[in-house]
Amino acid sequence: MAEREGEIVGHVALTSVPEGQLAEIWSAGAQRPPHELACVSVLFVDDRLAGTGIGGALLDTAVTAARGAGRTPVLDVVQAHGPAVAVYRHRGWVEVGTARPSWLPDDEPSILLMMLPNDRAAAVSGE
């Protein structure tokens, strides 16, 4: 969690990748079995603090923890969240596929499945 002036302002979780369609796509893209992947999930930051670096710090923390455990970080993102997709791509995350989970409304495009290659830095420095 991220805290600012005693208030929780952001959160990220790092989970294992359960078997299923997403695991198969991530595994093929990362060229690693699902038990060697770690899913970055429920990353959010208080809307009032967008652009302050809190989200990037949370993402970096999750990536560092995944790599420290010898795992490749993966995530899914709703395409309607265009700014988030752009941030992930800018930070070196690559798309490995798409999926249509049951919770996704029919009028929404498929979610993007992304992974951060091991040769990519956790954060983009100097930009």
Side-chain angles (χ1 to χ4, degrees):
M1 289 190 290
E3 184 180 326
R4 182 174 177 192
E5 298 175 9
E7 180 182 3
I8 295 172
V9 295
H11 176 274
V12 67
L14 192 62
T15 66
S16 60
V17 174
E19 290 187 27
Q21 178 193 22
L22 302 185
E24 291 172 14
I25 296 169
W26 279 321
S27 184
Q31 298 182 347
R32 296 185 76 178
H35 70 273
E36 292 181 3
L37 306 175
C39 185
V40 176
S41 63
V42 292
L43 172 60
F44 70 87
V45 175
D46 185 321
D47 289 339
R48 299 170 296 167
L49 299 172
T52 62
I54 293 170
L58 288 166
L59 183 59
D60 292 345
T61 299
V63 166
T64 298
R67 291 211 169 122
R71 297 179 177 206
T72 296
V74 297
L75 58 79
D76 63 75
V77 62
V78 176
Q79 291 191 60
H81 299 161
V85 174
V87 166
Y88 294 133
R89 286 183 174 144
H90 178 73
R91 288 173 154 258
W93 291 77
V94 296
E95 183 181 332
V96 295
T98 60
R100 293 209 56 82
S102 60
W103 53 261
L104 189 68
D106 291 339
D107 61 342
E108 289 282 335
S110 298
I111 60 171
L112 295 178
L113 302 179
M114 304 182 89
M115 52 100 41
L116 187 62
N118 287 332
D119 64 345
R120 305 285 172 94
V124 177
S125 310
E127 292 184 29

